[in-house]
Amino acid sequence: MSDVAVVDTLRVLNFASISGTYAEVTPPFEYITRIVCFTNNTDGDLLVSLTLGVNDNLVMPAGSFKLFDLTTNKGQTNTSWVFPPGTRVFVKQLTAPTSGDFYVEAIHQR
């Protein structure tokens, strides 16, 4: 494994696809992912699930973002504190959005 950072494919879910039932923001992570930014660019408050829509894991107020840098103070080959391959992100509304998108940006190591 080298120490090259790769910005993964942008994942986007439009407000029209967000309801009171969890919708997947595809595709799942293909690689060990070390940095993830969730951005709620909608006008509605949202919930995020990283457990296949079973549990509510994060609250994302309208117009907010959450950045998770799991690599801080970790070695290059450390595989702890990562989002593993196959991680899937699901979103549902707390308040109904009428515009905007929900984004997932991910950086992995190659």
Side-chain angles (χ1 to χ4, degrees):
M1 190 180 312
S2 69
D3 56 359
V4 176
V6 178
V7 178
D8 208 356
T9 302
L10 180 65
R11 293 155 176 84
V12 182
L13 189 64
N14 183 263
F15 80 93
S17 298
I18 300 172
S19 69
T21 303
Y22 273 111
E24 186 171 6
V25 187
T26 58
F29 296 159
E30 188 175 343
Y31 304 96
I32 291 173
T33 302
R34 298 177 181 276
I35 301 172
V36 176
C37 184
F38 300 107
T39 303
N40 179 7
N41 195 32
T42 74
D43 58 353
D45 297 335
L46 306 178
L47 289 172
V48 176
S49 175
L50 298 169
T51 56
L52 304 177
V54 174
N55 298 308
D56 301 335
N57 298 120
L58 304 169
V59 63
M60 299 289 304
S64 69
F65 76 93
K66 292 192 179 191
L67 176 65
F68 295 93
D69 180 355
L70 305 180
T71 61
T72 303
N73 300 323
K74 302 289 182 200
Q76 294 289 344
T77 58
N78 190 328
T79 57
S80 62
W81 284 90
V82 298
F83 292 96
T87 296
R88 297 166 64 186
V89 179
F90 293 81
V91 175
K92 74 176 179 181
Q93 70 185 31
L94 277 173
T95 58
T98 60
S99 65
D101 297 296
F102 181 84
Y103 300 98
V104 179
E105 299 164 279
I107 298 175
H108 60 86
Q109 182 179 357
R110 178 169 30 133

